[in-house]
Amino acid sequence: MIRTLAYTQEGRIIENLPIEEVQALDPAWYWIDFHAPTMQEATYLEKLGFHPLAIKDCLHYLQRPKFDYYDTYTFYVLQVLNNKTWKPEEIDLFASHRYIVTFHYQAHEEIDEVWERVKTDAAIQSKGTPFIMVKIIDKIVDYYFPIAQGLEDQITVLEEKTRRPHARLHTLMREVFKIRGELLALRHTIWPMRDLLYRILNSERLNLSIEERRQYKSIHDHLERLSQMVESSRDMTADIRDNYLSLNSYRMNSIMMTLTVITVIFMPLTFIAGIYGMNFEHMPELKWRYGYFFVLGLMGFIGVAMYKWFRKKGWFEKE
């Protein structure tokens, strides 16, 4: 689907004209949005006169966020993050002072919200395509925040679960590693976008106005904050993971200590039982009337004595 938005020299907004009519209208500026275009619709990129390399970047999914200079326009590759699949999705954008062309294969609320706002906001209409460009990038970055904050909330819930006495730690660890994977996907989207904004701010060829530079600086600050949120969340998940490993090691040591104590206690008892289990004919104790009870008593005494000795040594202390 291709939709158009044109701002005439008289200050009127005209929507959904065919591309040929939009260009013939000679508006102050126009916006063409390629939304999930067919291959036939994608050929309009060539008719609009864009460079073959830029068109190739549009058609070959997925590119790293970047921007390239051309003679009369700048080509941008932007990324949004799907909040269901956690996979990055691409929005390609051609921008000049006369037009904006957006190209994307998936539906994006970011584009739709800016589209609807431009239709009704006279201030943005009068400022033209540079500020529409700012609003698109700003809205893309704004949509990162709910994802990052949602992951922080999940981590907080996980921390509370780990404090419960009967927490199912193996299940919690699966959730921790799932969240770490989602944080990694978010990081791989935010960091390149942050670098892109840094390049825009330091570009000498874009000739940004003071207001545009202020807007882009604000977006860059938001991306810096998001980067810090992601790193903080990753540190929190690492702490949960390390605590789990420490607790698991402690539990394993406790189990091994218990088994060791049982084994050590039964070693002398097994030794005594082994001696009297030998079938020699001449064993004095075999014909002793109270020999059986004496041996049992001796074995019990040894077991209790060793238990008390281990307890005195602190083997059974939990902390």
Side-chain angles (χ1 to χ4, degrees):
M1 180 182 75
I2 300 176
R3 55 182 176 175
T4 62
L5 202 64
Y7 184 70
T8 66
Q9 302 289 349
E10 295 78 22
R12 293 185 299 111
I13 283 288
I14 303 176
E15 189 177 6
N16 291 330
L17 286 176
I19 294 178
E20 295 80 2
E21 293 185 23
V22 169
Q23 292 177 311
L25 184 66
D26 190 27
W29 57 262
Y30 59 88
W31 180 1
I32 302 174
D33 181 44
F34 289 78
H35 169 76
T38 63
M39 289 303 298
Q40 183 178 359
E41 290 173 335
T43 59
Y44 272 96
L45 292 175
E46 298 179 5
K47 296 178 182 179
L48 290 169
F50 296 131
H51 196 279
L53 290 177
I55 296 174
K56 183 179 178 181
D57 284 340
C58 292
L59 300 179
H60 291 77
Y61 189 82
L62 174 74
Q63 304 292 321
R64 183 181 175 88
K66 65 174 184 175
F67 74 97
D68 295 322
Y69 302 106
Y70 291 93
D71 293 337
T72 58
Y73 61 89
T74 308
F75 173 66
Y76 298 84
V77 176
L78 310 174
Q79 280 188 359
V80 299
L81 195 66
N82 190 304
N83 57 7
K84 295 180 180 179
T85 63
W86 299 98
K87 292 182 179 180
E89 296 173 350
E90 184 175 317
I91 296 176
D92 301 300
L93 192 149
F94 301 84
S96 76
H97 286 282
R98 287 201 65 244
Y99 60 80
I100 281 183
V101 177
T102 48
F103 187 96
H104 49 99
Y105 284 108
Q106 291 83 17
H108 296 296
E109 295 181 14
E110 298 90 332
I111 296 294
D112 294 338
E113 286 188 22
V114 176
W115 183 274
E116 294 300 322
R117 183 175 177 184
V118 169
K119 284 165 54 176
T120 57
D121 193 326
I124 297 178
Q125 294 169 8
S126 61
K127 290 178 179 178
T129 57
F131 279 86
I132 297 175
M133 174 75 188
V134 170
K135 294 301 178 184
I136 291 174
I137 297 179
D138 186 41
K139 186 60 65 174
I140 289 174
V141 173
D142 285 346
Y143 267 69
Y144 292 155
F145 277 97
I147 297 174
Q149 291 166 351
L151 291 173
E152 281 190 342
D153 293 341
Q154 292 183 45
I155 294 169
T156 301
V157 171
L158 280 179
E159 280 193 313
E160 293 175 355
K161 288 181 179 179
T162 56
R163 298 191 187 100
R164 297 174 185 174
H166 302 292
R168 300 181 64 180
L169 294 179
H170 292 292
T171 302
L172 293 180
M173 281 305 101
R174 283 197 293 269
E175 294 182 30
V176 167
F177 284 111
K178 176 176 176 292
I179 291 174
R180 283 182 67 83
E182 293 167 351
L183 285 169
L184 185 61
L186 184 59
R187 181 185 183 188
H188 285 169
T189 302
I190 290 174
W191 283 35
M193 286 291 290
R194 184 188 63 181
D195 294 342
L196 173 65
L197 265 294
Y198 180 81
R199 285 191 60 204
I200 291 174
L201 283 169
N202 290 276
S203 172
E204 296 180 356
R205 295 183 58 179
L206 292 179
N207 296 320
L208 299 177
S209 67
I210 295 175
E211 181 61 25
E212 288 176 78
R213 186 172 298 277
R214 185 181 295 115
Q215 295 282 345
Y216 281 122
K217 182 65 170 62
S218 175
I219 298 172
H220 184 266
D221 291 342
H222 289 166
L223 287 167
E224 288 284 359
R225 180 184 168 195
L226 280 164
S227 298
Q228 293 171 3
M229 289 173 64
V230 170
E231 291 306 307
S232 176
S233 296
R234 282 175 59 84
D235 290 341
M236 291 171 67
T237 56
D239 289 342
I240 294 174
R241 180 196 60 196
D242 294 342
N243 289 340
Y244 164 75
L245 294 175
S246 298
L247 182 59
N248 200 40
S249 177
Y250 171 75
R251 288 182 175 179
M252 183 64 69
N253 289 338
S254 297
I255 293 171
M256 293 302 297
M257 182 188 68
T258 302
L259 294 176
T260 301
V261 167
I262 294 173
T263 302
V264 171
I265 289 175
F266 273 89
M267 280 176 61
L269 309 186
T270 306
F271 174 72
I272 295 172
I275 289 176
Y276 287 98
M278 295 186 294
N279 297 319
F280 291 113
E281 183 177 352
H282 300 289
M283 292 185 69
E285 295 85 356
L286 293 178
K287 296 181 180 180
W288 184 28
R289 180 177 180 180
Y290 302 104
Y292 173 72
F293 303 101
F294 174 78
V295 171
L296 286 181
L298 178 62
M299 294 169 71
F301 172 77
I302 292 173
V304 172
M306 294 184 70
Y307 171 79
K308 289 185 176 181
W309 186 66
F310 291 144
R311 190 177 185 86
K312 184 178 180 181
K313 289 288 186 181
W315 282 33
F316 299 103
E317 292 180 2
K318 296 299 183 182
E319 296 181 359

